[in-house]
Amino acid sequence: MNNLFDVSGKKAIVTGASRGLGKAMAQALHDAGVTLVIMGTNEKVVAVANEMTTAECPVYPVMANFKDNAAVAAAFDEAMQYLDHDIDIMVNNAGMQVRYPCLEFPIEEWNKVLNVNLTSAFILAQLAGQIMAKKGYGKIVNTASLLSYQGGFTVPAYAAAKGGIKQMTMAFSNELASVGVNVNAIAPGYMDTDNIAALKADEARLKTLMDRIPAKRLGTPEDLVGALIFLSSHASDYVNGVVVTVDGGWMGR
């Protein structure tokens, strides 16, 4: 049974891995014996890679501008140099958030959010998928969101991007399942990261939130680890086009 979840010796890329959810997912794969490339937007990704790497499982940092399509493709090419032009697991987690009311949302900010949250994931899924399809094996895991299902307030670009991630996951899955490539997504709930610092500072809103979550707590980045290992391993070989919600029961309400 343990072999079903064994990912040791695999090669992976995790984007948005400098902090928060991405860092926790990268650490989980590293601890499970995966050789990693982690991508981030600045030199912090270098420090995280140095902190994480071991002789048995090296971690290689690649800086990437996820707002620029050509830069994303170039970052993938750089990652392939480290991974000997092979990849087993692609985790698309890079993201950003910008808040404006819908009627005031600047188109420049819309384009940035869509590029980082959706287009970069499409490019990397496509490039990784080409390699995986040729060898008949691979796992692509995209980070979706509760806003893959809901519209939210003052986040139209983010909601559109995460809705797109859900649909893109299913579209890729439809075409790649027959060649041994599993494409799925994880939708985190409200996670206790710096992204919700403002929410936590608003006691009334935080109470309303907690009343809605059956688990009665915020999630942690480590809560994603089980879903990630499942979707990255042979345990999920017949799981295709699924979005796994890790949300303390939020979507069940």
Side-chain angles (χ1 to χ4, degrees), residues 135-167:
K135 67 178 182 176
Y137 177 83
K139 306 286 183 173
I140 298 174
V141 183
N142 300 315
T143 299
S145 168
L146 297 183
L147 291 182
S148 298
Y149 303 93
Q150 302 168 334
F153 287 88
T154 70
V155 289
Y158 188 83
K162 290 303 185 179
I165 286 289
K166 177 175 177 287
Q167 296 301 112

Short mmCIF file of all heavy atoms in Angstrom, two decimals, residues 135-167:
data_model
loop_
_atom_site.label_atom_id
_atom_site.label_comp_id
_atom_site.label_asym_id
_atom_site.label_seq_id
_atom_site.Cartn_x
_atom_site.Cartn_y
_atom_site.Cartn_z
N LYS A 135 6.56 10.22 -22.66
CA LYS A 135 7.00 9.04 -21.90
C LYS A 135 5.84 8.26 -21.29
O LYS A 135 6.05 7.22 -20.67
CB LYS A 135 8.00 9.45 -20.82
CG LYS A 135 7.45 10.32 -19.70
CD LYS A 135 8.56 10.60 -18.69
CE LYS A 135 8.05 11.42 -17.52
NZ LYS A 135 9.09 11.62 -16.50
N GLY A 136 4.62 8.80 -21.42
CA GLY A 136 3.44 8.07 -20.97
C GLY A 136 3.19 8.11 -19.48
O GLY A 136 2.50 7.26 -18.93
N TYR A 137 3.74 9.15 -18.83
CA TYR A 137 3.52 9.27 -17.38
C TYR A 137 3.76 10.71 -16.93
O TYR A 137 4.69 11.37 -17.39
CB TYR A 137 4.46 8.36 -16.59
CG TYR A 137 4.30 8.52 -15.09
CD1 TYR A 137 3.29 7.84 -14.42
CD2 TYR A 137 5.11 9.39 -14.36
CE1 TYR A 137 3.10 8.01 -13.05
CE2 TYR A 137 4.93 9.57 -13.01
CZ TYR A 137 3.92 8.88 -12.35
OH TYR A 137 3.73 9.06 -11.00
N GLY A 138 2.92 11.16 -16.00
CA GLY A 138 3.15 12.45 -15.39
C GLY A 138 1.97 12.91 -14.57
O GLY A 138 0.85 12.39 -14.70
N LYS A 139 2.24 13.86 -13.69
CA LYS A 139 1.21 14.41 -12.80
C LYS A 139 1.29 15.94 -12.86
O LYS A 139 2.34 16.52 -12.58
CB LYS A 139 1.45 13.96 -11.35
CG LYS A 139 1.55 12.44 -11.15
CD LYS A 139 0.20 11.76 -11.27
CE LYS A 139 0.32 10.27 -10.98
NZ LYS A 139 -0.99 9.60 -10.93
N ILE A 140 0.21 16.57 -13.25
CA ILE A 140 0.10 18.03 -13.23
C ILE A 140 -0.92 18.40 -12.16
O ILE A 140 -2.06 17.92 -12.19
CB ILE A 140 -0.31 18.59 -14.59
CG1 ILE A 140 0.74 18.24 -15.65
CG2 ILE A 140 -0.51 20.10 -14.52
CD1 ILE A 140 0.36 18.61 -17.08
N VAL A 141 -0.49 19.22 -11.22
CA VAL A 141 -1.36 19.63 -10.11
C VAL A 141 -1.43 21.15 -10.12
O VAL A 141 -0.42 21.84 -9.93
CB VAL A 141 -0.82 19.14 -8.75
CG1 VAL A 141 -1.79 19.53 -7.64
CG2 VAL A 141 -0.62 17.62 -8.76
N ASN A 142 -2.61 21.68 -10.36
CA ASN A 142 -2.82 23.13 -10.38
C ASN A 142 -3.44 23.59 -9.08
O ASN A 142 -4.24 22.87 -8.46
CB ASN A 142 -3.75 23.51 -11.55
CG ASN A 142 -3.18 23.11 -12.89
OD1 ASN A 142 -2.01 23.33 -13.17
ND2 ASN A 142 -4.02 22.53 -13.74
N THR A 143 -3.09 24.80 -8.65
CA THR A 143 -3.73 25.37 -7.46
C THR A 143 -4.95 26.16 -7.88
O THR A 143 -4.83 27.21 -8.53
CB THR A 143 -2.76 26.26 -6.68
OG1 THR A 143 -1.64 25.48 -6.24
CG2 THR A 143 -3.45 26.84 -5.45
N ALA A 144 -6.11 25.65 -7.54
CA ALA A 144 -7.37 26.34 -7.79
C ALA A 144 -7.71 27.17 -6.54
O ALA A 144 -6.81 27.63 -5.84
CB ALA A 144 -8.46 25.33 -8.12
N SER A 145 -8.98 27.34 -6.24
CA SER A 145 -9.38 28.20 -5.13
C SER A 145 -10.87 28.00 -4.88
O SER A 145 -11.60 27.49 -5.75
CB SER A 145 -9.11 29.67 -5.50
OG SER A 145 -9.72 30.57 -4.59
N LEU A 146 -11.32 28.43 -3.71
CA LEU A 146 -12.77 28.50 -3.51
C LEU A 146 -13.42 29.42 -4.53
O LEU A 146 -14.58 29.28 -4.88
CB LEU A 146 -13.09 28.97 -2.08
CG LEU A 146 -12.61 28.07 -0.94
CD1 LEU A 146 -13.06 28.64 0.40
CD2 LEU A 146 -13.09 26.64 -1.11
N LEU A 147 -12.63 30.39 -5.02
CA LEU A 147 -13.15 31.30 -6.04
C LEU A 147 -13.12 30.69 -7.44
O LEU A 147 -13.44 31.36 -8.41
CB LEU A 147 -12.38 32.62 -6.02
CG LEU A 147 -12.63 33.47 -4.76
CD1 LEU A 147 -11.88 34.78 -4.84
CD2 LEU A 147 -14.11 33.74 -4.55
N SER A 148 -12.77 29.41 -7.53
CA SER A 148 -13.06 28.66 -8.75
C SER A 148 -14.55 28.37 -8.84
O SER A 148 -15.06 28.04 -9.91
CB SER A 148 -12.28 27.33 -8.76
OG SER A 148 -10.89 27.55 -8.76
N TYR A 149 -15.24 28.49 -7.70
CA TYR A 149 -16.66 28.20 -7.61
C TYR A 149 -17.49 29.43 -7.26
O TYR A 149 -18.70 29.45 -7.49
CB TYR A 149 -16.90 27.15 -6.51
CG TYR A 149 -16.15 25.87 -6.71
CD1 TYR A 149 -14.90 25.65 -6.13
CD2 TYR A 149 -16.69 24.84 -7.48
CE1 TYR A 149 -14.21 24.46 -6.30
CE2 TYR A 149 -16.00 23.64 -7.66
CZ TYR A 149 -14.77 23.46 -7.07
OH TYR A 149 -14.09 22.28 -7.25
N GLN A 150 -16.88 30.42 -6.66
CA GLN A 150 -17.61 31.59 -6.16
C GLN A 150 -17.00 32.86 -6.74
O GLN A 150 -15.85 32.87 -7.18
CB GLN A 150 -17.53 31.63 -4.63
CG GLN A 150 -18.10 30.39 -3.97
CD GLN A 150 -17.77 30.29 -2.50
OE1 GLN A 150 -16.78 30.82 -2.03
NE2 GLN A 150 -18.61 29.57 -1.76
N GLY A 151 -17.78 33.93 -6.76
CA GLY A 151 -17.31 35.17 -7.37
C GLY A 151 -16.52 36.08 -6.47
O GLY A 151 -15.67 36.85 -6.92
N GLY A 152 -16.80 36.01 -5.16
CA GLY A 152 -16.12 36.90 -4.23
C GLY A 152 -16.53 38.35 -4.42
O GLY A 152 -17.44 38.68 -5.19
N PHE A 153 -15.83 39.25 -3.73
CA PHE A 153 -16.07 40.68 -3.83
C PHE A 153 -14.74 41.39 -4.08
O PHE A 153 -13.74 41.09 -3.41
CB PHE A 153 -16.71 41.23 -2.55
CG PHE A 153 -18.16 40.83 -2.39
CD1 PHE A 153 -18.49 39.64 -1.77
CD2 PHE A 153 -19.18 41.63 -2.90
CE1 PHE A 153 -19.82 39.25 -1.62
CE2 PHE A 153 -20.50 41.26 -2.76
CZ PHE A 153 -20.83 40.07 -2.12
N THR A 154 -14.72 42.29 -5.00
CA THR A 154 -13.57 43.14 -5.36
C THR A 154 -12.38 42.32 -5.87
O THR A 154 -11.26 42.81 -5.88
CB THR A 154 -13.11 44.04 -4.19
OG1 THR A 154 -12.50 43.25 -3.15
CG2 THR A 154 -14.26 44.85 -3.63
N VAL A 155 -12.63 41.10 -6.34
CA VAL A 155 -11.54 40.27 -6.89
C VAL A 155 -11.96 39.64 -8.23
O VAL A 155 -11.78 38.44 -8.44
CB VAL A 155 -11.10 39.17 -5.89
CG1 VAL A 155 -10.36 39.77 -4.72
CG2 VAL A 155 -12.30 38.34 -5.41
N PRO A 156 -12.49 40.43 -9.16
CA PRO A 156 -12.99 39.83 -10.40
C PRO A 156 -11.91 39.13 -11.22
O PRO A 156 -12.16 38.08 -11.82
CB PRO A 156 -13.58 41.02 -11.16
CG PRO A 156 -12.87 42.22 -10.61
CD PRO A 156 -12.67 41.90 -9.15
N ALA A 157 -10.70 39.69 -11.23
CA ALA A 157 -9.63 39.07 -12.02
C ALA A 157 -9.19 37.75 -11.39
O ALA A 157 -9.00 36.75 -12.10
CB ALA A 157 -8.44 40.03 -12.14
N TYR A 158 -9.05 37.74 -10.09
CA TYR A 158 -8.64 36.51 -9.39
C TYR A 158 -9.71 35.43 -9.56
O TYR A 158 -9.38 34.26 -9.83
CB TYR A 158 -8.41 36.81 -7.92
CG TYR A 158 -7.80 35.68 -7.13
CD1 TYR A 158 -6.42 35.47 -7.15
CD2 TYR A 158 -8.59 34.82 -6.38
CE1 TYR A 158 -5.85 34.42 -6.43
CE2 TYR A 158 -8.03 33.77 -5.66
CZ TYR A 158 -6.67 33.58 -5.68
OH TYR A 158 -6.11 32.55 -4.97
N ALA A 159 -10.97 35.81 -9.42
CA ALA A 159 -12.06 34.84 -9.59
C ALA A 159 -12.09 34.29 -11.01
O ALA A 159 -12.28 33.09 -11.22
CB ALA A 159 -13.39 35.48 -9.23
N ALA A 160 -11.87 35.17 -11.98
CA ALA A 160 -11.85 34.72 -13.38
C ALA A 160 -10.68 33.77 -13.61
O ALA A 160 -10.82 32.73 -14.28
CB ALA A 160 -11.74 35.93 -14.31
N ALA A 161 -9.51 34.11 -13.05
CA ALA A 161 -8.34 33.26 -13.22
C ALA A 161 -8.53 31.90 -12.58
O ALA A 161 -8.20 30.86 -13.17
CB ALA A 161 -7.10 33.95 -12.65
N LYS A 162 -9.06 31.88 -11.37
CA LYS A 162 -9.21 30.61 -10.67
C LYS A 162 -10.36 29.78 -11.25
O LYS A 162 -10.32 28.54 -11.24
CB LYS A 162 -9.41 30.85 -9.17
CG LYS A 162 -8.14 31.36 -8.49
CD LYS A 162 -6.96 30.43 -8.68
CE LYS A 162 -5.73 30.88 -7.91
NZ LYS A 162 -4.58 29.95 -8.09
N GLY A 163 -11.39 30.45 -11.77
CA GLY A 163 -12.39 29.71 -12.53
C GLY A 163 -11.76 29.08 -13.77
O GLY A 163 -12.05 27.94 -14.13
N GLY A 164 -10.86 29.85 -14.39
CA GLY A 164 -10.15 29.34 -15.55
C GLY A 164 -9.26 28.16 -15.22
O GLY A 164 -9.13 27.21 -16.02
N ILE A 165 -8.61 28.19 -14.05
CA ILE A 165 -7.78 27.05 -13.63
C ILE A 165 -8.61 25.78 -13.54
O ILE A 165 -8.19 24.70 -14.00
CB ILE A 165 -7.10 27.35 -12.27
CG1 ILE A 165 -5.95 28.34 -12.43
CG2 ILE A 165 -6.61 26.06 -11.61
CD1 ILE A 165 -4.72 27.78 -13.13
N LYS A 166 -9.78 25.89 -12.98
CA LYS A 166 -10.67 24.72 -12.87
C LYS A 166 -11.02 24.17 -14.25
O LYS A 166 -10.92 22.96 -14.51
CB LYS A 166 -11.93 25.10 -12.11
CG LYS A 166 -12.98 24.00 -11.97
CD LYS A 166 -14.13 24.49 -11.10
CE LYS A 166 -15.24 23.45 -10.99
NZ LYS A 166 -16.01 23.35 -12.26
N GLN A 167 -11.41 25.05 -15.15
CA GLN A 167 -11.80 24.61 -16.49
C GLN A 167 -10.59 24.10 -17.28
O GLN A 167 -10.69 23.12 -18.01
CB GLN A 167 -12.47 25.77 -17.24
CG GLN A 167 -13.78 26.24 -16.62
CD GLN A 167 -14.81 25.12 -16.55
OE1 GLN A 167 -15.17 24.67 -15.48
NE2 GLN A 167 -15.27 24.68 -17.70
#
